[in-house]
Amino acid sequence: MSAPSISAARLASPRLVLAAILTTQLMLVLDATIVNVALPDIQRSLGFTATGLSWVMNAYTLAFGGLLLLGARAGDILGRRRMLLAGVTLFTLASFVGGFSQSPGQLLAARAVQGMGAALAAPSGLALLMARFPEGRERTRAIGYYSAVSIGGSALGLIAGGMLTQWVSWRWVLYVNVPIGIALIVVARAVLPETPRHRGRFDLLGAATSTIGMTSLVYGFVRAATAGWSDPETLAAFGVGVLLLTAFVLVELRAESPITPLRLFADRTRSSATVARLLLVAGMMGMFFFLTQFLQDVLGYSPLATGVAFLPLTIMLFVMSRVSATLMARVGMRALMVGGLTMSTAGLLILSQLSADSSYLAVLVPLLLFGAGNGLAFVPLTAAGLAGVAPQDAGAASGLVNVSQQVGGSLGLAILVTVASAGARGATPTGTTAAEIAQHAFVVGADRAFFVSALFLAATVILLAITIRPARATQAAPVQEPELALVD
């Protein structure tokens, strides 16, 4: 590439480039939770069952996570700005159509298409961020903002969802993406540089086996919540899931251009960070799902009050993620990840003691601990997940960071719905009315889910403490900068 083209690619203000990438990521991760507070209204409006309601979340996160690596590969081959714009356009259209849904099937289809659009846009956004910001302090700061948006966007979605549901309608949790998406398309075209196209093939078989396999596993867990573990359909779903995921590994070993180069897992730090991120988000999404319903159905909060109740969590996430980015070079990645996730584990353990008589204070303390802990951990987790990646694998590595987050959310929520349903069925009836008995059963089930979420995070703490080497702790993620060209 000639020097002029590199200079041209950097004419846009770094702040504008960062703003466009962060806005893209915020819109995509926010949509994983913005429907959370609206779930009771969606259930009443469209007639979802109690367990079927979880698919409003999973239809999005499964399509998002399952197709992310294919989206990352598409960015490498066709150009990352081009794929980001295509993804945002598809996401925006699906949001508009989804707002008009009149049945569960229509809404779930729209949510799945939203996930497809997100899968095209998200990995290209992170890869463009790595390309635009050089190694060292500048990239660490940019990754800090990106991490804050990635985890804080989930919490902001709860607040925004509460406002829109109460002030307008649950349909606006989808409609709100339309003006944001249109504005983003205009800005991204103006400020984001394009990467050159490369020859290559799309690993469609790998994408199909991984996506359908993970969907089958999630379906198996959700099915088990209502039909039991011995149900033939439950067993068939698990069997298909295991077979397809096994086939996925075999396909990736032989594929000429795999969507998941298995060499990415050769580095112990990077592999551990990927697994840790999956487990962390598994616990986090379950916490959002059950705590949202606890606040509305048990404590009697309105949708708006429920969203505002999560504000302390959001504040702590943003504040501590900034602190984490500053401290990482001083204290190392392992100390921040282990210390932060220990705090988050403590918060979930406190939540597992909730009762129908609990006050908001019993929720506030865990939210503060969870927000502070996750804020400290997410920046070094992101840096560790991108450590030592070669330029030709930058897109796949970026996609893998997002995959672990979305797949973790889907699989974790499915497992926790199953755990909660089993707990609710085994609860000793308490109360004089049917409503009181149902409320008590829900609280027992939710407490079980919070406890299992804490186990997810405790396992993450142990994994990171054992596998992350202190000697590498102060290293920034040495992801080399891909070549850029300004292409219209």
Side-chain angles (χ1 to χ4, degrees), residues 290 294 348-356 358 416 419-420 423 440-454:
F290 290 104
F294 177 84
L348 288 172
L349 286 174
I350 295 173
L351 282 179
S352 70
Q353 304 302 309
L354 289 177
S355 70
S358 296
L416 294 173
V419 168
H440 174 72
F442 169 79
V443 172
V444 171
D447 284 349
R448 293 276 187 90
F450 290 136
F451 181 74
V452 174
S453 295

Side-chain angles (χ1 to χ4, degrees), residues 8-9 11-13 16-17 19-21 23-24 78-89 128 180-195 197 485-488:
L11 287 178
S13 165
L16 286 176
V17 172
I21 294 171
T23 301
T24 301
L78 301 177
R80 289 168 183 156
R81 187 186 72 166
R82 186 173 287 105
M83 286 299 98
L84 184 145
L85 290 171
V88 171
T89 300
L128 286 169
I180 298 173
I182 293 173
L184 184 58
I185 291 169
V186 173
V187 173
R189 281 189 59 84
V191 305
L192 293 182
E194 181 60 282
T195 54
R197 296 187 181 193
L486 191 64
V487 180
D488 291 327

Side-chain angles (χ1 to χ4, degrees), residues 13-376:
S13 165
R15 292 185 178 181
L16 286 176
V17 172
L18 184 60
I21 294 171
L22 294 184
T23 301
T24 301
Q25 182 68 3
L26 176 62
M27 185 172 70
L28 302 182
V29 300
L30 182 146
D31 226 68
T33 58
I34 194 171
V35 300
N36 238 313
V37 180
L39 287 177
D41 286 53
I42 292 174
Q43 185 176 22
R44 287 189 293 268
S45 176
L46 300 183
F48 277 95
T49 63
T51 53
L53 199 61
S54 65
W55 283 102
V56 178
M57 309 285 293
N58 284 334
Y60 178 74
T61 55
L62 278 171
F64 192 172
L67 298 174
L68 259 169
L69 295 175
L70 185 64
R73 181 64 176 159
D76 291 340
I77 295 175
L78 301 177
R80 289 168 183 156
R81 187 186 72 166
R82 186 173 287 105
M83 286 299 98
L84 184 145
L85 290 171
V88 171
T89 300
L90 185 61
F91 180 92
T92 303
L93 290 173
S95 299
F96 181 73
V97 173
F100 289 100
S101 297
Q102 300 299 315
S103 69
Q106 291 175 5
L107 179 59
L108 295 183
R111 292 285 288 166
V113 176
Q114 279 185 307
M116 295 176 190
L120 293 177
S124 291
L126 181 55
L128 286 169
L129 180 146
M130 291 190 296
R132 182 61 183 85
F133 294 93
E135 289 285 348
R137 186 175 181 181
E138 189 174 356
R139 179 178 292 176
T140 298
R141 186 183 298 112
I143 289 179
Y145 282 116
Y146 184 89
S147 298
V149 165
S150 295
I151 185 65
S154 298
L156 281 176
L158 297 168
I159 299 172
M163 292 178 177
L164 292 169
T165 301
Q166 182 161 332
W167 289 346
V168 193
S169 163
W170 69 263
R171 298 181 184 278
W172 275 90
V173 301
L174 297 167
Y175 290 146
V176 70
N177 294 317
V178 177
I180 298 173
I182 293 173
L184 184 58
I185 291 169
V186 173
V187 173
R189 281 189 59 84
V191 305
L192 293 182
E194 181 60 282
T195 54
R197 296 187 181 193
H198 298 283
R199 292 182 179 180
R201 295 183 178 181
F202 291 104
D203 182 15
L204 298 179
L205 185 58
T209 52
S210 62
T211 303
I212 300 173
M214 188 57 63
T215 302
S216 185
L217 279 185
V218 170
Y219 178 78
F221 280 111
V222 175
R223 175 75 181 178
T226 55
W229 293 96
S230 60
D231 174 67
E233 195 170 330
T234 300
L235 296 175
F238 282 125
V240 170
V242 171
L243 287 174
L244 286 176
L245 291 177
T246 301
F248 167 70
V249 174
L250 296 176
V251 167
E252 297 309 281
L253 287 171
R254 300 177 180 180
E256 180 180 339
S257 301
I259 58 171
T260 311
L262 297 184
R263 60 181 174 271
L264 290 175
F265 295 98
D267 182 270
R268 188 170 75 172
T269 296
R270 194 162 57 242
S271 297
S272 299
T274 300
V275 175
R277 196 180 191 96
L278 186 149
L279 290 172
L280 169 58
V281 178
M284 182 186 72
M285 294 303 292
M287 186 270 287
F288 286 155
F289 184 78
F290 290 104
L291 191 55
T292 296
Q293 294 179 71
F294 177 84
L295 290 171
Q296 291 190 64
D297 297 338
V298 178
L299 298 189
Y301 282 24
S302 66
L304 177 58
T306 299
V308 173
F310 283 95
L311 187 58
L313 168 67
T314 306
I315 294 173
M316 290 302 294
L317 280 168
F318 278 106
V319 170
M320 298 309 292
S321 64
R322 295 294 307 278
V323 171
S324 179
T326 302
L327 290 178
M328 191 164 66
R330 300 178 185 176
V331 304
M333 291 190 292
R334 187 173 75 165
L336 288 173
M337 289 188 286
V338 170
L341 294 179
T342 299
M343 294 173 63
S344 297
T345 303
L348 288 172
L349 286 174
I350 295 173
L351 282 179
S352 70
Q353 304 302 309
L354 289 177
S355 70
D357 299 323
S358 296
S359 66
Y360 177 65
L361 181 62
V363 174
L364 175 61
V365 173
L367 286 180
L368 291 172
L369 284 170
F370 197 81
N374 280 22
L376 285 174

